Amino acid sequence: TWAEFKDRNTGKRFFFVNTHLEPAKTAKKKTHAEQAALILGEIKSQNTAKLPVILVGDLAATKFSKPNAAHDAFVKAGYIDPLGNKYKQKTAKGIHAEKVVNGVWNSINYFEEKPQKVGGAYELGSYLDYILVSSSRIRVLEWKTVVGRLDAKGRFADTLPSDHHLVRAVVVLP
């Protein structure tokens, strides 16, 4: 899905895209690359004003997926992942987001009792859910994995509404 938005305060317009790719379990090897190509084509044909683009969604693959075909296609097309998310990326050095909150948690929770993180030497979690921006001129002030309240034992204190955590970003348009 896509929509064109206008910021009421600044009057700046942007193009927003939301997607959910075929789950990895049922997708054929080339499916995610083909889906990314379709999305990029749709953005090109619909965003005739060439507005800044914010692209979000479940790309059905993580930084541990080889290939991470849709993510790789979007990055090759010039989109920026505020967290970097290069293959097996361990550190948060050189990322585009100015601040990362709860970045160690994975974006998928599988309705487990506790939030999961990659662990070990990894400073950032593993994400199926992405927020991409079309230009380095779009500032990402904050990127957050919203995990909800945790109790004293590190378990979720509330009922999980989804098997994925919300990911959100605070951006400033150019």
Side-chain angles (χ1 to χ4, degrees), residues 38-51:
L38 287 171
I39 293 164
L40 289 167
E42 188 72 6
I43 292 169
K44 186 176 181 177
S45 70
Q46 299 300 328
N47 185 14
T48 56
K50 299 189 185 323
L51 299 172

Side-chain angles (χ1 to χ4, degrees), residues 27-87:
K28 294 179 183 173
K29 209 169 198 175
K30 294 182 181 178
T31 301
H32 291 162
E34 292 167 350
Q35 290 174 323
L38 287 171
I39 293 164
L40 289 167
E42 188 72 6
I43 292 169
K44 186 176 181 177
S45 70
Q46 299 300 328
N47 185 14
T48 56
K50 299 189 185 323
L51 299 172
V53 178
I54 299 171
L55 169 61
V56 303
D58 181 341
L59 300 187
T62 73
K63 67 183 174 187
F64 296 102
S65 304
K66 190 108 174 127
N68 190 343
H71 178 272
D72 295 347
F74 293 133
V75 169
K76 186 176 179 182
Y79 286 82
I80 296 167
D81 179 341
L83 296 182
N85 280 306
K86 295 173 182 72
Y87 183 63

